[in-house]
Amino acid sequence: MAEKTNVNNNSVGAAAMVFAAFAVVLLVAFFSYRGADVGRLGTLIGNFGGGPLFGFDGLSASVDGALIAGLIAVSWFGLGNFVASFISVSKGEEHSHVLKLAMKAALGAAIWSLIFFFLGIAGLYTSSAAIVAIVVGLGLAVFSFRRVREAKIESRVPEKPSRSDLLIVALIAIPLVLAFISSLAPPVAKDTLLYHFSLPKVFIAQHHMSFVDGNMNSYMALGTEMHIVWAILVGNLAGVQAGEAAGGAAIWMFFPVLLMAIFGWSRELGLDRRLSLIAVAIVATVPTIYHVSSSSYIDVAWALSIFLAVYSLCRWWRSPESGWLVFTALFLAAALAAKLLTVFAIAAFVLVIVFRARNAQNEEGTSVSKVLAGGIGSLIVAGIFGSASYIRTWIETGSPLFPFYLNLWPGKAPGWDAERASMLQALSAQYGGDRKTLLDYLLTPWNISVNAQPEIHANFDGVIGFAFLLGLPLIVWGIWKFDLKTEAKICAGVAMIMFLFWLTSSQQQRYLLPILPLLSIAIMASIDAISSKVRGLRTITIAGFAAAAFAGALVTTAWFLQKAPLRVAFGGETREAFAARNLDYLPYYLWLNSETAEEDKVWLVNMRRDTYYLERPYFSDYMIEDLTLQKMVSEAKDARELRAKTAAMGIKYLLIRHDFLLDYKVSPLVDDKKPRAENEAKLKAAKEFILDPVNTVRSDSKFSLVKVF
């Protein structure tokens, strides 16, 4: 017996040393690539200064926006609780009230999204309709609160938190609070200005959901953006900045709801509070989740819907009740209404359902065909309820997948064709590296965990940190050698399938966010299973994941300081000053807004199509932002003909980013198939047009604003 104990102790010691060494290697490697953010923390702290911190108007707008977003979140719960009361499911012995609250809030958000979609179709985007929705939601919430008044945060005896627990809670609070403050600031993130905020702005101005000429995002699924419409409709009653704060804070609300769901499911699985908090921390401190939550991106809301769909599917696995299939369908429908990439999750769900049906063969009184039909039926229902925006796009363009995959399902809309769709797919494939080899694919887990960078396509345009790579061996070990819970295996399986699909599509880190909460559950369940048999490993693994969370919190803090939204959120900095500090082209937009006639049309070239702050009609190519100019330059003889062709388009002003456009080595205007002399002549004509000293209104080393006629 003594000899066996000695062997076990040696094994534990070796395992602990290997894990600790792996954690140290990942920590050092991770920080070696963080010179642009964590490496500049000492300098970035100075961004807290620069002027007064508080101002009444700005602070009032932030408070108004936060209150409106809070009312919307309560309305989510009110409607979600009302609908959930009609869905019959059994409670587990360890059911979590935190998870129950998160589920009802997410369910209500999904249903309100669908309601606002149809309000947009009916032309009812008005402040009155938005206020009525809040009143209805609050009424349902008040009614439901009377029924759950006796519910505590958890169904267990409260535990006294230790100092370590409080430190983990503090780690969780850092990105949560920083993201909240950032969400109250005026929008400056790329996709937010392209469509998350710019499309709701157009919808509200026209009172209905319309297709915006040239903006292909208006043909995509816009389920989460419906909450931005809702919030801005109410917030604008208190001013533009209050509307922006309300829209940003409403999307931020999905962040704490996701963290509640992770904590609640961890507790339902029997994990203690420490492991459950670590599961939350390694997700909360993912820098890209901070960026998404603070910038009104939709990916956290998308991740929440998929997470709860997987949870519902796992509950159905344990107890094949139709109610859990209803929840699965509703949450999966919400995910589909947010993003087309949900089809990857649906593929994983099909496999889980098939395995569950196979297991039914060994269960007395359980029909295999009934289990299979119920599971597949829930996916069909999810497709029906999540397809409203795709049907709308199908009717308008001829393809529900538009503007993607026109080679598979042709569709048409002004400003888009098969050539542009093919170029967009090529651009999307550049994430993670343009020309990937087998070695690149094999090293992807390391690369996305260690050397990933924001705003760099080849480096996956984001940072998730190394916690999930650190936990991967534990999941493998737990499945291979220990009795890992079925729920953890399903989470790991769904995550793996979605990751494999991600590898073969656009390798942008934001698209990986749905698998991170699933992996956090699988990792902590693995630690729980392993530590129950192998003593001594638990402490070192918790320390390793706490270190990973701390590293992520440092990056998040650096990103917050780079953006420096604190003063504008508290009113010490004006909306215009904050936007100008983060958007170098904004002075050109402000000049156009103030110095030109309302009907003057502007051609934007390589301006990222950030049109939110522009109050003039415009033309701009989508994604391939200089494609029209490329064709025009190839056809025109000289600068005068370029000007004439532009004037014929009804363009009064040309605003163009020219720094790389006129550089022969990298310019997209250069055609490698043509002789250099011809390319130089074309580039010379373009330069004379773009930098025309007679007609240039203003310019600098990066931008040029030219009056066409």
Side-chain angles (χ1 to χ4, degrees):
M1 184 70 177
E3 183 179 352
K4 183 177 181 181
T5 303
N6 185 51
V7 171
N8 286 338
N9 287 336
N10 290 337
S11 300
V12 171
M17 289 180 62
V18 170
F19 181 87
F22 188 37
V24 170
V25 168
L26 288 175
L27 185 67
V28 172
F30 178 73
F31 278 125
S32 71
Y33 286 94
R34 303 266 49 92
D37 38 55
V38 177
R40 297 178 57 228
L41 265 174
T43 303
L44 293 172
I45 290 175
N47 287 346
F48 275 123
L53 180 59
F54 295 100
F56 178 78
D57 291 340
L59 182 59
S60 176
S62 294
V63 171
D64 289 342
L67 288 175
I68 291 166
L71 293 176
I72 288 175
V74 175
S75 299
W76 292 349
F77 171 78
L79 182 58
N81 185 75
F82 176 73
V83 174
S85 66
F86 295 96
I87 305 173
S88 177
V89 291
S90 60
K91 293 182 180 179
E93 293 181 1
E94 298 291 329
H95 74 278
S96 165
H97 291 294
V98 168
L99 178 56
K100 189 176 179 181
L101 177 61
M103 284 187 67
K104 291 178 178 179
L107 179 60
I111 298 171
W112 277 121
S113 171
L114 190 61
I115 290 172
F116 269 84
F117 174 86
F118 285 110
L119 286 176
I121 298 297
L124 293 176
Y125 281 156
T126 64
S127 295
S128 299
I131 291 173
V132 168
I134 287 180
V135 171
V136 171
L138 292 180
L140 292 172
V142 170
F143 176 74
S144 65
F145 285 147
R146 291 192 307 168
R147 300 173 57 189
V148 300
R149 210 168 27 183
E150 71 282 0
K152 300 177 182 179
I153 293 300
E154 285 296 322
S155 55
R156 303 159 186 79
V157 177
E159 308 165 45
K160 184 178 180 180
S162 66
R163 291 183 179 180
S164 298
D165 291 341
L166 294 177
L167 287 175
I168 299 170
V169 170
L171 270 180
I172 296 168
I174 289 171
L176 200 59
V177 172
L178 296 184
F180 175 64
I181 294 172
S182 297
S183 72
L184 298 174
V188 292
K190 180 172 61 177
D191 283 3
T192 308
L193 301 176
L194 173 62
Y195 71 104
H196 295 312
F197 261 57
S198 63
L199 289 180
K201 178 182 176 181
V202 174
F203 297 162
I204 290 170
Q206 299 178 355
H207 303 300
H208 67 87
M209 180 181 285
S210 57
F211 293 106
V212 179
D213 287 344
N215 193 332
M216 298 306 119
N217 294 95
S218 62
Y219 296 92
M220 299 180 190
L222 297 171
T224 307
E225 283 81 2
M226 296 299 95
H227 300 291
I228 297 176
V229 172
W230 186 3
I232 292 178
L233 278 170
V234 180
N236 277 352
L237 296 175
V240 173
Q241 191 166 345
E244 292 171 345
I251 300 303
W252 172 86
M253 288 289 177
F254 287 102
F255 189 9
V257 174
L258 174 62
L259 300 186
M260 290 166 59
I262 295 170
F263 182 81
W265 195 6
S266 298
R267 296 293 273 160
E268 277 200 1
L269 290 177
L271 304 183
D272 63 29
R273 185 167 58 190
R274 180 74 53 79
L275 286 179
S276 299
L277 287 174
I278 288 290
V280 174
I282 62 175
V283 174
T285 55
V286 169
T288 291
I289 287 185
Y290 157 79
H291 172 67
V292 165
S293 299
S294 65
S295 304
S296 300
Y297 283 25
I298 67 169
D299 304 86
V300 167
W302 178 46
L304 171 64
S305 296
I306 290 178
F307 182 77
L308 291 176
V310 173
Y311 166 77
S312 301
L313 191 67
C314 287
R315 290 300 304 270
W316 171 75
W317 181 291
R318 291 286 188 185
S319 177
E321 302 171 83
S322 59
W324 288 117
L325 288 179
V326 171
F327 278 119
T328 301
L330 291 175
F331 287 125
L332 205 53
L336 188 61
K339 200 178 282 286
L340 179 60
L341 292 177
T342 303
V343 295
F344 296 166
I346 293 175
F349 277 43
V350 170
L351 288 178
V352 174
I353 291 167
V354 169
F355 280 121
R356 181 63 185 88
R358 190 185 67 174
N359 285 357
Q361 295 175 345
N362 303 320
E363 297 174 3
E364 186 177 350
T366 303
S367 168
V368 174
S369 59
K370 185 177 180 180
V371 169
L372 189 61
I376 298 300
S378 71
L379 302 185
I380 295 173
V381 172
I384 293 172
F385 279 93
S387 64
S389 60
Y390 301 101
I391 293 173
R392 167 179 171 263
T393 296
W394 191 357
I395 293 171
E396 181 71 16
T397 68
S399 170
L401 306 180
F402 190 89
F404 306 108
Y405 309 114
L406 297 191
N407 56 325
L408 300 176
W409 197 324
K412 293 181 180 180
W416 200 248
D417 51 34
E419 178 188 6
R420 287 174 168 84
S422 178
M423 294 176 73
L424 177 58
Q425 286 180 241
L427 285 173
S428 298
Q430 291 179 2
Y431 286 100
D434 192 10
R435 298 176 181 176
K436 303 178 185 70
T437 64
L438 177 60
L439 182 61
D440 292 320
Y441 286 109
L442 293 175
L443 290 177
T444 297
W446 172 273
N447 291 332
I448 63 176
S449 303
V450 173
N451 59 19
Q453 300 289 342
E455 302 295 334
I456 300 178
H457 283 52
N459 293 97
F460 309 99
D461 186 24
V463 176
I464 63 172
F466 62 88
F468 303 95
L469 181 58
L470 184 63
L472 188 59
L474 295 174
I475 296 176
V476 174
W477 193 17
I479 293 175
W480 181 32
K481 289 291 187 179
F482 298 88
D483 186 21
L484 197 59
K485 293 179 182 293
T486 300
E487 291 85 349
K489 293 178 182 178
I490 291 175
C491 284
V494 171
M496 181 189 70
I497 292 170
M498 292 186 69
F499 177 76
L500 292 176
F501 275 112
W502 177 85
L503 276 179
T504 61
S505 60
S506 179
Q507 293 182 4
Q508 194 168 2
Q509 284 224 4
R510 286 191 290 113
Y511 301 160
L512 274 181
L513 294 190
I515 77 171
L516 303 187
L518 300 176
L519 288 176
S520 73
I521 294 292
I523 291 169
M524 296 308 136
S526 298
I527 293 175
D528 185 58
I530 294 169
S531 62
S532 67
K533 302 292 184 182
V534 182
R535 295 182 180 180
L537 193 62
R538 175 188 166 92
T539 301
I540 193 67
T541 53
I542 289 178
F545 287 108
F550 179 72
L554 282 179
V555 177
T556 294
T557 303
W559 288 10
F560 175 82
L561 293 173
Q562 284 177 334
K563 188 177 179 181
L566 186 66
R567 290 180 55 237
V568 72
F570 287 0
E573 185 177 26
T574 66
R575 172 179 181 264
E576 292 72 19
F578 172 79
R581 181 161 53 79
N582 286 277
L583 303 170
D584 50 5
Y585 60 78
L586 190 66
Y588 292 88
Y589 279 18
L590 297 179
W591 187 92
L592 287 165
N593 293 342
S594 62
E595 302 297 328
T596 64
E598 290 186 3
E599 67 275 8
D600 288 347
K601 192 173 185 179
V602 186
W603 183 7
L604 305 175
V605 179
N606 291 330
M607 299 298 297
R608 303 192 314 178
R609 215 176 193 281
D610 295 353
T611 58
Y612 178 74
Y613 291 103
L614 182 62
E615 304 295 341
R616 293 294 178 266
Y618 62 88
F619 167 76
S620 178
D621 287 307
Y622 177 81
M623 289 297 180
I624 304 93
E625 302 169 52
D626 45 37
L627 187 60
T628 298
L629 182 64
Q630 290 180 40
K631 294 181 177 180
M632 194 178 291
V633 168
S634 68
E635 296 170 356
K637 298 177 181 178
D638 51 31
R640 188 166 64 176
E641 187 173 346
L642 281 174
R643 180 179 298 278
K645 286 179 175 289
T646 303
M649 296 166 58
I651 303 297
K652 186 69 175 287
Y653 291 92
L654 170 69
L655 178 55
I656 187 168
R657 178 180 174 180
H658 61 76
D659 54 346
F660 68 90
L661 190 70
L662 300 178
D663 183 343
Y664 189 95
K665 295 179 181 179
V666 296
S667 175
L669 302 179
V670 172
D671 187 347
D672 294 333
K673 298 178 182 178
K674 295 181 179 179
R676 183 179 180 89
E678 183 177 347
N679 278 321
E680 288 180 341
K682 296 293 185 183
L683 208 57
K684 181 175 180 291
K687 185 174 182 179
E688 291 175 352
F689 174 44
I690 295 168
L691 302 179
D692 180 2
V694 176
N695 295 291
T696 296
V697 176
R698 61 186 299 172
S699 65
D700 56 33
S701 60
K702 193 173 183 179
F703 304 104
S704 179
L705 177 61
V706 180
K707 187 174 182 180
V708 178
F709 66 88

